Amino acid sequence: MSFSVRYRLHVPSFRLAVAFLVLFAACATVGRLSFGEPTVELKQINITGFGLSGGTLDLVFDVYNPNAYRVRSTRVEIGLDLEGRHFGDALLERPLDLSPTNHSQVVVPVRFEWAGVGAGAKALLRRQAIAYGVTGAVLVETPLGARRVNVRGAGDVPLRALAR
């Protein structure tokens, strides 16, 4: 006497099990992804042009992406104060790719008008260093969605860095 046993796989149950495993794996992967805000530090200010009505500066930032994945910036908005007075605003709308766990140099141009800076411009020309303040935001795209990273910093910039 021989017995044969046949296993019959119930298709809907199998599909449900596979769907559950895929969902579980996806949740585990997303759970390991977390977003660490990039750090943004002003490294130097370069004067790129002077005119009768004002001029232009380049703000040179060091941006560190602490994440294990690439982050793409879609917009940079920066306000610059020198010697306690508003000096100018910058808007950078070209995409920037920030490599995983790496530093990137980001240059943001700023236009200013002499009429609005008066005493700040005089201090800039008389002192060996000037006090700066930056505020703004960097908008970034991540695998977890769009994020807004606030930028805030203050310090002193040597005049020789400005005269380069």
Side-chain angles (χ1 to χ4, degrees), residues 80-87 116-117 119-121 123 127 130-133 155:
L80 174 67
D81 294 341
L82 296 177
E83 295 298 321
R85 297 189 72 156
H86 186 69
F87 209 77
V117 297
R127 294 183 46 209
I130 59 168
Y132 76 88

Side-chain angles (χ1 to χ4, degrees), residues 65 70-73 94-100 104 106:
N65 176 13
R70 182 172 301 281
V71 172
R72 183 179 174 107
S73 121
R94 73 168 198 258
L96 302 168
D97 282 327
L98 305 175
S99 300
S104 300
V106 177

